């Protein structure tokens, strides 16, 4: 019996060793294969751009562009890279709805947010609030969007609706923050009402004792009782937990020491310093309110004008920002002329006044610190003015600077999509931008470089190669042109099922009615052709 057990254990042990050996051998093979793929992929990446150059410069035969099985390795690598990158889960969750009209505005919201068009995204959310039953998520969205553009009044309005619907601790805390952002410090009724709210929130455990003290200090601050402020600050700097609130209190304490060291100065000086602190800590409305009051009392004091100019700018009120930056530029400050010019030109751009934007841009041509920003906005100004020659000229100048993801996206989109013949006349420039793109952007945003490659391949009729990249890019861009290109590619390969799928996707993201009509016709043709083929087969 013992002998049999010994034989059994010995055989089991040998089987185990044999399995382990072959498993390790297999693992080593897999590791070598992965290394091979990475080497192949790197070589392919280096070769592809040279292939494009050869097509243009040497007019090589189409055989150099034929599909290579090694591209499958590149595809695997790219898909792995995509899988490891972040996905906007929130946007995916939003799109789970059966209602066509809701889906339409949800898609519009997602599309505009990706382009950072906040005002258009807000319009989409307002439409959704009319048609959806699940209003809570959209109230949250619109509150955050209004905060982002500094429109605290509207943010407060929707925040109030949100807390009526769902009074969670998070929503109530945001509402309290907005009440302070929109506080009229010269209205005693508002101040008393806010005091009551702060006390109530503390009693209901929505804010803690440290936050209670901070908010009460803010209210007390606007009474401008120096002795009382001094007493409150002594304790609060030690006890306040929030690091940002603590920094603000330390700054006010420093202002107080500066004010008291200059015994000849009026209280206006201290008020202006506090307003500057409020601006630094993003209390733009309060900063602007204090500065406006000081300006009415003394319009020769530069600091309140600076505070108003920057506060209006950061609240996206560009009309008033231009007004006060112009006053600073023309009447007050010779040392910071370029800074004021910069903010005036950006304000004019966002106001849609591209001629004035260019006018102020030209005043900064000798300041290297602003050189890249000048080129970016020149490109955008000329783009909006449809000045093709100057757009191309500006793009040529941008090649000498390290660019961002957004820069490359805008350049590729214009050169390969919006401009009809730019890719033919400026192919070498586009290729240079693609090469630079891989050096300038981080791995996470590398897909913008694929964006340029995909469109360039497509323009030169390399549909199969372009389709590979387009398919990968659908994970990042809801671009009708990408869907249209994929639909045409699969249609050419007689794969009508996938072609129809991409035409439907194109339809979802197309707003132009004439284009939508044409897409519907293409889908109709596919369906009719399918029915016709079915009838033929039956006969």
């Amino acid at each position: 019996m013992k002998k049999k057990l010994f034989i059994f254990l010995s055989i089991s042990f040998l089987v185990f060793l044999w399995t382990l050996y072959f498993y390790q051998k297999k693992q080593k093979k897999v590791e070598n294969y992965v290394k091979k793929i990475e080497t192949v992929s790197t070589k392919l990446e280096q070769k592809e751009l040279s292939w494009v150059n050869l097509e243009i410069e040497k007019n090589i035969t189409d055989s150099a562009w034929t599909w290579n099985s090694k591209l499958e390795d590149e595809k695997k690598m790219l898909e792995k890279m995509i899988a490891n990158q972040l996905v906007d889960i929130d946007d995916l969750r939003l799109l789970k709805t059966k209602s066509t009209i809701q889906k339409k505005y949800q898609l519009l919201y997602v599309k505009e947010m990706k382009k950072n068009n906040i005002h258009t995204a807000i319009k989409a959310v307002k439409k959704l609030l009319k048609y959806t039953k699940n209003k809570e998520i959209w109230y949250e969205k619109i509150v955050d969007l209004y905060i982002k553009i500094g429109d605290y009044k509207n943010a407060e309005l929707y925040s109030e609706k949100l807390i009526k619907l769902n009074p969670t601790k998070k929503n109530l805390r945001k509402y309290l923050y907005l009440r302070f952002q929109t506080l009229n410090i010269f209205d005693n009724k508002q101040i008393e009402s806010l005091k009551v709210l702060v006390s109530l929130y503390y009693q209901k455990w929505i804010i803690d004792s440290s936050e209670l003290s901070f908010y009460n200090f803010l209210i007390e601050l606007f009474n401008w009782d120096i002795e009382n402020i001094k007493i409150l600050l002594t304790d609060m700097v030690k006890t306040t937990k929030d690091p940002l609130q603590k920094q603000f209190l330390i700054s006010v304490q420093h202002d107080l020491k500066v004010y008291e060291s200059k015994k000849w100065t009026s209280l206006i000086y201290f008020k202006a310093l506090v307003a500057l602190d409020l601006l630094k800590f993003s209390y733009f409305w309060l900063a602007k309110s204090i500065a406006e009051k000081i300006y009415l009392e003394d319009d020769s004091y530069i600091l309140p004008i600076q505070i108003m100019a920057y506060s209006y700018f950061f609240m996206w009120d560009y009309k008033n920002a231009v007004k006060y930056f112009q006053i600073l530029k023309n009447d007050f400050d010779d040392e910071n002329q370029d800074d004021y010019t910069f903010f005036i030109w950006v304000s004019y751009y966002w106001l849609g006044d591209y001629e004035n934007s260019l006018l102020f841009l030209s005043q900064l041509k000798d300041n290297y610190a602003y050189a890249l920003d000048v080129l970016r906005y020149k490109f955008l100004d000329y783009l909006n003015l449809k000045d093709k020659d100057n757009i191309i000229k500006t793009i040529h100048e941008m090649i000498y600077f390290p660019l961002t993801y957004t820069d490359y996206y805008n350049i590729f989109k214009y050169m390969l999509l919006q401009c009809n013949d730019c890719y033919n006349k400026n192919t070498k420039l586009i290729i240079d931008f693609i090469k630079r793109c891989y050096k300038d952007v981080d791995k996470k945003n590398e897909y913008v470089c694929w964006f340029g490659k995909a469109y360039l391949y497509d323009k030169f009729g390399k549909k199969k190669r372009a389709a590979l990249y387009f398919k990968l890019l659908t994970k990042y861009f809801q671009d009708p042109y990408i869907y249209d290109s994929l639909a045409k590619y699969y249609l050419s390969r007689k794969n009508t099922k996938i072609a129809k799928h991409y035409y439907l996707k194109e339809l979802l993201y197309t707003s132009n009615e004439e284009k939508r009509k044409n897409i519907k016709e293409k889908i109709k043709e596919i369906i009719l052709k399918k029915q016709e083929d079915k009838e033929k087969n039956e006969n």
Side-chain angles (χ1 to χ4, degrees), residues 85-96 141:
Q85 290 174 16
L86 296 173
V87 177
D88 193 340
I89 299 298
D90 189 39
D91 285 345
L92 295 177
R93 180 165 60 91
L94 293 177
L95 296 175
K96 289 181 180 178
K141 292 284 179 193

Side-chain angles (χ1 to χ4, degrees), residues 279-293:
L279 172 65
K280 287 176 184 174
F281 287 88
S282 301
Y283 284 93
F284 305 126
W285 181 276
L286 294 176
K288 177 216 50 132
S289 301
I290 296 167
E292 278 179 340
K293 185 75 172 174

Side-chain angles (χ1 to χ4, degrees), residues 155-216:
E156 184 197 349
L157 177 74
Y158 282 99
S159 181
E160 196 169 353
K161 291 179 180 182
L162 178 61
I163 61 171
K164 284 176 183 175
L165 193 67
N166 188 14
T168 62
K169 188 175 180 179
K170 177 190 167 188
N171 293 339
L172 289 164
R173 286 169 68 86
K174 190 170 283 186
Y175 175 67
L176 182 62
Y177 162 77
L178 289 165
R179 282 291 299 271
F180 271 94
Q181 280 286 14
T182 58
L183 176 65
N184 182 349
I185 59 174
F186 309 111
D187 185 334
N188 289 329
K189 281 185 180 179
Q190 261 199 52
I191 290 171
E192 287 305 312
S193 166
L194 195 53
K195 276 183 181 178
V196 172
L197 188 67
V198 168
S199 177
L200 180 67
Y201 276 24
Y202 174 63
Q203 289 166 26
K204 291 187 177 291
W205 302 91
I206 294 158
I207 57 173
D208 60 26
S209 58
S210 175
E211 290 168 309
L212 172 72
S213 300
F214 177 77
Y215 284 128
N216 280 332

